[in-house]
Amino acid sequence: MDARTDQKTHAETAPVLLSVEDLHVQFETTRGIVRAVEGISYTVRRGETVAIVGESGCGKSVSSLAIMRLLPRKTARITRGRIMLDGRNLLDLSDEQMREVRGRDVSMIFQEPMTSLNPVLPIGLQIMEPLFIHLKMTPEQAKARAMELLELVGITDSARRLDQYPHQFSGGMRQRVMIAIGLACNPKLIIADEPTTALDVTIQAQILELMKNLSRELGIALVIITHNLGIVARYADRVNVMYAGNIIEQGSADDIFLSPAHPYAIGLMRSVPRLDEPRGTRLETIEGLPPDLLNPPSGCRFSPRCPHRIEICSQPIELRPAGEGHLSRCHRVDEVVAGKLTKPQVVVARLAQQELDHTNPIMAVENLKKFFNVTLARKNWISQEKAVVRAVNDVSFSIAKGETLGLVGESGCGKTTVGRVVLRLDDATEGKIKFEGLDITHSSSGAMREKRRRIQVIFQDPYSSLNPRMTCGEIIAEPLAVYKIVAEKKAREERVAELLQQVGLFPYMAERYPHELSGGQRQRVGIARALALEPTFIVCDEPVSALDVSIQGQIINLLEDLQQRLGLSFLFIAHDLAVVRHISNRVAVMYLGRIMELADRDELYANPAHPYTQALLDAAPIPDPKVERGRAPRALKGEIPSPLKPPSGCVFHTRCPFAIEVCKEEVPETRQFGPRHLVACHRAEEVVAHAATARN
């Protein structure tokens, strides 16, 4: 029996710690009453990990804030229900009694540690604060406990770290500080609201392994709120799937992933690209939008988007049995369980790699460098301490016409800087950038103006990249007017309508402002704006990372369709390895300003020759509990070094399990490892041989 199965057996027999019963939460707004959470019920046992998943706005975070009694008093009301913690109804407690419970019995880890930690207080004081309040420790006792907690969450040199401030820690270390604060008083329950969304896949694995191990060792119950289904498959014992304020399915992780019993859950599972599945299968999408919770449907709230809806779906529905311990809020649950309502996945023809002409690339980057001069501190009123950040250091790659090159790596590795330099938003320090055979590295603004028609960008955050004071139609029409492509206003309106339809939106949406659209619709507007000038090359900078799983699938499918129809070339920057594998022809892996490995997609994922590539693939969870149970925890150790002081030799050697003396002294040359496979590693042959032995 493996550790996870043993833990699951223990959790199934442990007493119930938290019981949420028929919880209703409403918000009073100027437009009416928003019914954010309606009648949700679930339990959490001691030592158990329960995940809550669903799209943005479904009520995941609201339900958890209700448990903590942290909902805004002016607008939020809990109209019905009970929240029982160890036999006490938290909703009956006074404010003073609830303050005693928070931090001591129940703690919460929020999504963004930088906004949750006080920037003007040292982290030692922030960890010690609950110890003073709840456990009445002396300063000496609190300091000793704080140091113990930092060591527990993997932060070394704790005595020195206690006096540092949040900005002196990396993202992963700040999240560990949040976990240390959460663990300070040995709580019975920890609620983690998207605890790893802002983290890289390697740091994410470290944090979640840590939380799961601490839960197992200390008997702490965990509620994890997330939209990352791979995380749920790897760490959750039971899962609650939420949609539009309701729990629409409940069950074990195996139930939800391997035999989902609600059409929404089925669509959700199919929306996720997976590392362990062959490419060529089109991602299934859930068309439409969640209902307006000011006036939700009277029957099944998913019925307006459900491909299997029938007349009875307009009637109210409660959770129904779909198996032992498995519940589904669906009128046709028996047909779903019997497999009568599933749709076959659609296999799409893709541009074959052999059709790509790599001898005449549309974009070629040669020995690209981008350095930034930064001021570290002021020594006195005249002199300052300065340093150089080598954000991009000797990077080379090419992109063929009609090809997608994926660029992956941890935050701070230089991915976005590469994109900005290629777009000529930043000037290169050294190297060459050739577009359509012409060197544009130092082209003048006038010369670049014409080139920019054919080089466009899709940004990560569609909300901040769209002008909130312009309608969507004006946003898309602006480049058409600036470049005088379509002179007449009527003709521009027709072209805007055409572009909106091209990206799957209705022409009437031209009259709407960005805030009136969903995240996925805003991203489609951004894509339409990029297409307005009929580009041949587009830089996609994390275009789906801010979107829900189902919306992410829609955008990925759209980009693939546009590429096949228009022959576009993409530089696709992302940190989600499964998304990159799904959409890319070739993949480049960056670390601390350098490309570690570059190969055809299938070759790189099947036979990674660099230890860092292997570590990224090992850390990426797969949304299948059976697969995850068979994988040993393989979190990459250590933090990414500061780009101000990169390590000598191979920049990865400080975290590399294969590092030897030569790795510390000599920068490895990028060499040919196989057909169209480049790697910068002194020990690539040994790395591949070790991986082959491990597989066998």
Side-chain angles (χ1 to χ4, degrees), residues 468-487:
R469 293 183 176 85
M470 295 172 70
T471 66
C472 295
E474 290 169 341
I475 289 168
I476 298 169
E478 185 179 32
L480 297 174
V482 169
Y483 278 89
K484 299 182 173 59
I485 296 172
V486 182

PDB file of all heavy atoms in Angstrom, residues 468-487:
ATOM      1  N   PRO A 468      -9.959  50.807 -21.177  1.00  0.00           N
ATOM      2  CA  PRO A 468     -11.304  50.691 -20.596  1.00  0.00           C
ATOM      3  C   PRO A 468     -12.263  51.783 -21.051  1.00  0.00           C
ATOM      4  O   PRO A 468     -13.479  51.651 -20.875  1.00  0.00           O
ATOM      5  CB  PRO A 468     -11.039  50.789 -19.085  1.00  0.00           C
ATOM      6  CG  PRO A 468      -9.762  51.558 -18.964  1.00  0.00           C
ATOM      7  CD  PRO A 468      -8.944  51.171 -20.163  1.00  0.00           C
ATOM      8  N   ARG A 469     -11.725  52.858 -21.643  1.00  0.00           N
ATOM      9  CA  ARG A 469     -12.587  53.968 -22.076  1.00  0.00           C
ATOM     10  C   ARG A 469     -13.004  53.859 -23.541  1.00  0.00           C
ATOM     11  O   ARG A 469     -13.678  54.737 -24.056  1.00  0.00           O
ATOM     12  CB  ARG A 469     -11.863  55.303 -21.837  1.00  0.00           C
ATOM     13  CG  ARG A 469     -11.655  55.625 -20.366  1.00  0.00           C
ATOM     14  CD  ARG A 469     -10.994  56.979 -20.184  1.00  0.00           C
ATOM     15  NE  ARG A 469     -10.886  57.342 -18.772  1.00  0.00           N
ATOM     16  CZ  ARG A 469      -9.897  56.973 -17.976  1.00  0.00           C
ATOM     17  NH1 ARG A 469      -8.922  56.215 -18.475  1.00  0.00           N
ATOM     18  NH2 ARG A 469      -9.874  57.330 -16.710  1.00  0.00           N
ATOM     19  N   MET A 470     -12.556  52.802 -24.204  1.00  0.00           N
ATOM     20  CA  MET A 470     -12.928  52.599 -25.610  1.00  0.00           C
ATOM     21  C   MET A 470     -13.796  51.355 -25.722  1.00  0.00           C
ATOM     22  O   MET A 470     -13.614  50.385 -24.980  1.00  0.00           O
ATOM     23  CB  MET A 470     -11.670  52.431 -26.472  1.00  0.00           C
ATOM     24  CG  MET A 470     -10.785  53.678 -26.523  1.00  0.00           C
ATOM     25  SD  MET A 470      -9.199  53.374 -27.371  1.00  0.00           S
ATOM     26  CE  MET A 470      -9.753  53.158 -29.071  1.00  0.00           C
ATOM     27  N   THR A 471     -14.741  51.389 -26.646  1.00  0.00           N
ATOM     28  CA  THR A 471     -15.522  50.186 -26.908  1.00  0.00           C
ATOM     29  C   THR A 471     -14.637  49.164 -27.613  1.00  0.00           C
ATOM     30  O   THR A 471     -13.575  49.504 -28.155  1.00  0.00           O
ATOM     31  CB  THR A 471     -16.742  50.489 -27.786  1.00  0.00           C
ATOM     32  OG1 THR A 471     -16.282  50.895 -29.084  1.00  0.00           O
ATOM     33  CG2 THR A 471     -17.619  51.569 -27.175  1.00  0.00           C
ATOM     34  N   CYS A 472     -15.079  47.925 -27.617  1.00  0.00           N
ATOM     35  CA  CYS A 472     -14.301  46.872 -28.283  1.00  0.00           C
ATOM     36  C   CYS A 472     -14.148  47.177 -29.773  1.00  0.00           C
ATOM     37  O   CYS A 472     -13.096  46.912 -30.365  1.00  0.00           O
ATOM     38  CB  CYS A 472     -14.978  45.517 -28.069  1.00  0.00           C
ATOM     39  SG  CYS A 472     -14.993  45.002 -26.344  1.00  0.00           S
ATOM     40  N   GLY A 473     -15.210  47.730 -30.365  1.00  0.00           N
ATOM     41  CA  GLY A 473     -15.128  48.096 -31.777  1.00  0.00           C
ATOM     42  C   GLY A 473     -14.077  49.158 -32.023  1.00  0.00           C
ATOM     43  O   GLY A 473     -13.300  49.087 -32.989  1.00  0.00           O
ATOM     44  N   GLU A 474     -14.004  50.163 -31.150  1.00  0.00           N
ATOM     45  CA  GLU A 474     -13.006  51.229 -31.298  1.00  0.00           C
ATOM     46  C   GLU A 474     -11.591  50.684 -31.100  1.00  0.00           C
ATOM     47  O   GLU A 474     -10.654  51.099 -31.776  1.00  0.00           O
ATOM     48  CB  GLU A 474     -13.290  52.332 -30.283  1.00  0.00           C
ATOM     49  CG  GLU A 474     -14.553  53.145 -30.593  1.00  0.00           C
ATOM     50  CD  GLU A 474     -14.964  54.055 -29.450  1.00  0.00           C
ATOM     51  OE1 GLU A 474     -14.513  53.818 -28.301  1.00  0.00           O
ATOM     52  OE2 GLU A 474     -15.742  54.990 -29.693  1.00  0.00           O
ATOM     53  N   ILE A 475     -11.441  49.743 -30.165  1.00  0.00           N
ATOM     54  CA  ILE A 475     -10.126  49.144 -29.903  1.00  0.00           C
ATOM     55  C   ILE A 475      -9.618  48.408 -31.140  1.00  0.00           C
ATOM     56  O   ILE A 475      -8.448  48.531 -31.527  1.00  0.00           O
ATOM     57  CB  ILE A 475     -10.215  48.187 -28.691  1.00  0.00           C
ATOM     58  CG1 ILE A 475     -10.389  48.991 -27.391  1.00  0.00           C
ATOM     59  CG2 ILE A 475      -8.981  47.294 -28.602  1.00  0.00           C
ATOM     60  CD1 ILE A 475     -10.760  48.146 -26.197  1.00  0.00           C
ATOM     61  N   ILE A 476     -10.503  47.645 -31.783  1.00  0.00           N
ATOM     62  CA  ILE A 476     -10.097  46.857 -32.956  1.00  0.00           C
ATOM     63  C   ILE A 476      -9.912  47.765 -34.174  1.00  0.00           C
ATOM     64  O   ILE A 476      -9.023  47.545 -35.011  1.00  0.00           O
ATOM     65  CB  ILE A 476     -11.146  45.756 -33.248  1.00  0.00           C
ATOM     66  CG1 ILE A 476     -11.224  44.788 -32.059  1.00  0.00           C
ATOM     67  CG2 ILE A 476     -10.797  44.998 -34.526  1.00  0.00           C
ATOM     68  CD1 ILE A 476     -12.398  43.836 -32.122  1.00  0.00           C
ATOM     69  N   ALA A 477     -10.745  48.819 -34.264  1.00  0.00           N
ATOM     70  CA  ALA A 477     -10.686  49.705 -35.437  1.00  0.00           C
ATOM     71  C   ALA A 477      -9.493  50.653 -35.397  1.00  0.00           C
ATOM     72  O   ALA A 477      -9.041  51.133 -36.444  1.00  0.00           O
ATOM     73  CB  ALA A 477     -11.984  50.506 -35.548  1.00  0.00           C
ATOM     74  N   GLU A 478      -8.966  50.934 -34.210  1.00  0.00           N
ATOM     75  CA  GLU A 478      -7.896  51.936 -34.080  1.00  0.00           C
ATOM     76  C   GLU A 478      -6.693  51.650 -34.981  1.00  0.00           C
ATOM     77  O   GLU A 478      -6.249  52.543 -35.723  1.00  0.00           O
ATOM     78  CB  GLU A 478      -7.457  52.048 -32.620  1.00  0.00           C
ATOM     79  CG  GLU A 478      -6.432  53.155 -32.397  1.00  0.00           C
ATOM     80  CD  GLU A 478      -6.025  53.276 -30.939  1.00  0.00           C
ATOM     81  OE1 GLU A 478      -6.011  52.237 -30.256  1.00  0.00           O
ATOM     82  OE2 GLU A 478      -5.730  54.391 -30.494  1.00  0.00           O
ATOM     83  N   PRO A 479      -6.124  50.414 -34.975  1.00  0.00           N
ATOM     84  CA  PRO A 479      -4.979  50.189 -35.877  1.00  0.00           C
ATOM     85  C   PRO A 479      -5.354  50.299 -37.354  1.00  0.00           C
ATOM     86  O   PRO A 479      -4.520  50.692 -38.180  1.00  0.00           O
ATOM     87  CB  PRO A 479      -4.523  48.764 -35.525  1.00  0.00           C
ATOM     88  CG  PRO A 479      -5.663  48.133 -34.816  1.00  0.00           C
ATOM     89  CD  PRO A 479      -6.386  49.235 -34.128  1.00  0.00           C
ATOM     90  N   LEU A 480      -6.591  49.979 -37.705  1.00  0.00           N
ATOM     91  CA  LEU A 480      -7.027  50.113 -39.097  1.00  0.00           C
ATOM     92  C   LEU A 480      -6.998  51.582 -39.519  1.00  0.00           C
ATOM     93  O   LEU A 480      -6.632  51.907 -40.653  1.00  0.00           O
ATOM     94  CB  LEU A 480      -8.443  49.551 -39.264  1.00  0.00           C
ATOM     95  CG  LEU A 480      -8.631  48.055 -38.982  1.00  0.00           C
ATOM     96  CD1 LEU A 480     -10.112  47.699 -39.038  1.00  0.00           C
ATOM     97  CD2 LEU A 480      -7.849  47.223 -39.991  1.00  0.00           C
ATOM     98  N   ALA A 481      -7.380  52.480 -38.586  1.00  0.00           N
ATOM     99  CA  ALA A 481      -7.380  53.917 -38.897  1.00  0.00           C
ATOM    100  C   ALA A 481      -5.966  54.484 -38.867  1.00  0.00           C
ATOM    101  O   ALA A 481      -5.585  55.272 -39.735  1.00  0.00           O
ATOM    102  CB  ALA A 481      -8.275  54.645 -37.902  1.00  0.00           C
ATOM    103  N   VAL A 482      -5.165  54.083 -37.887  1.00  0.00           N
ATOM    104  CA  VAL A 482      -3.809  54.614 -37.745  1.00  0.00           C
ATOM    105  C   VAL A 482      -2.968  54.292 -38.971  1.00  0.00           C
ATOM    106  O   VAL A 482      -2.231  55.131 -39.484  1.00  0.00           O
ATOM    107  CB  VAL A 482      -3.144  54.062 -36.471  1.00  0.00           C
ATOM    108  CG1 VAL A 482      -1.648  54.371 -36.447  1.00  0.00           C
ATOM    109  CG2 VAL A 482      -3.824  54.638 -35.232  1.00  0.00           C
ATOM    110  N   TYR A 483      -3.088  53.067 -39.461  1.00  0.00           N
ATOM    111  CA  TYR A 483      -2.290  52.652 -40.617  1.00  0.00           C
ATOM    112  C   TYR A 483      -2.995  52.937 -41.951  1.00  0.00           C
ATOM    113  O   TYR A 483      -2.498  52.557 -43.005  1.00  0.00           O
ATOM    114  CB  TYR A 483      -1.963  51.157 -40.518  1.00  0.00           C
ATOM    115  CG  TYR A 483      -0.783  50.871 -39.621  1.00  0.00           C
ATOM    116  CD1 TYR A 483      -0.958  50.664 -38.260  1.00  0.00           C
ATOM    117  CD2 TYR A 483       0.510  50.818 -40.129  1.00  0.00           C
ATOM    118  CE1 TYR A 483       0.116  50.411 -37.420  1.00  0.00           C
ATOM    119  CE2 TYR A 483       1.591  50.558 -39.307  1.00  0.00           C
ATOM    120  CZ  TYR A 483       1.395  50.361 -37.952  1.00  0.00           C
ATOM    121  OH  TYR A 483       2.465  50.117 -37.137  1.00  0.00           O
ATOM    122  N   LYS A 484      -4.185  53.584 -41.848  1.00  0.00           N
ATOM    123  CA  LYS A 484      -4.950  53.959 -43.045  1.00  0.00           C
ATOM    124  C   LYS A 484      -5.213  52.757 -43.956  1.00  0.00           C
ATOM    125  O   LYS A 484      -5.181  52.863 -45.187  1.00  0.00           O
ATOM    126  CB  LYS A 484      -4.221  55.062 -43.832  1.00  0.00           C
ATOM    127  CG  LYS A 484      -4.034  56.353 -43.036  1.00  0.00           C
ATOM    128  CD  LYS A 484      -3.352  57.419 -43.866  1.00  0.00           C
ATOM    129  CE  LYS A 484      -3.304  58.754 -43.147  1.00  0.00           C
ATOM    130  NZ  LYS A 484      -2.601  58.725 -41.864  1.00  0.00           N
ATOM    131  N   ILE A 485      -5.460  51.617 -43.333  1.00  0.00           N
ATOM    132  CA  ILE A 485      -5.763  50.403 -44.105  1.00  0.00           C
ATOM    133  C   ILE A 485      -7.196  50.457 -44.621  1.00  0.00           C
ATOM    134  O   ILE A 485      -7.476  50.096 -45.759  1.00  0.00           O
ATOM    135  CB  ILE A 485      -5.551  49.155 -43.222  1.00  0.00           C
ATOM    136  CG1 ILE A 485      -4.077  49.054 -42.823  1.00  0.00           C
ATOM    137  CG2 ILE A 485      -5.992  47.888 -43.937  1.00  0.00           C
ATOM    138  CD1 ILE A 485      -3.808  47.989 -41.805  1.00  0.00           C
ATOM    139  N   VAL A 486      -8.099  50.904 -43.738  1.00  0.00           N
ATOM    140  CA  VAL A 486      -9.501  51.062 -44.135  1.00  0.00           C
ATOM    141  C   VAL A 486      -9.868  52.509 -43.818  1.00  0.00           C
ATOM    142  O   VAL A 486      -9.989  52.891 -42.643  1.00  0.00           O
ATOM    143  CB  VAL A 486     -10.418  50.079 -43.376  1.00  0.00           C
ATOM    144  CG1 VAL A 486     -11.851  50.229 -43.854  1.00  0.00           C
ATOM    145  CG2 VAL A 486      -9.929  48.641 -43.551  1.00  0.00           C
ATOM    146  N   ALA A 487     -10.037  53.309 -44.841  1.00  0.00           N
ATOM    147  CA  ALA A 487     -10.196  54.755 -44.648  1.00  0.00           C
ATOM    148  C   ALA A 487     -11.595  55.132 -44.179  1.00  0.00           C
ATOM    149  O   ALA A 487     -11.755  55.962 -43.281  1.00  0.00           O
ATOM    150  CB  ALA A 487      -9.862  55.486 -45.949  1.00  0.00           C
TER     151      ALA A 487
END
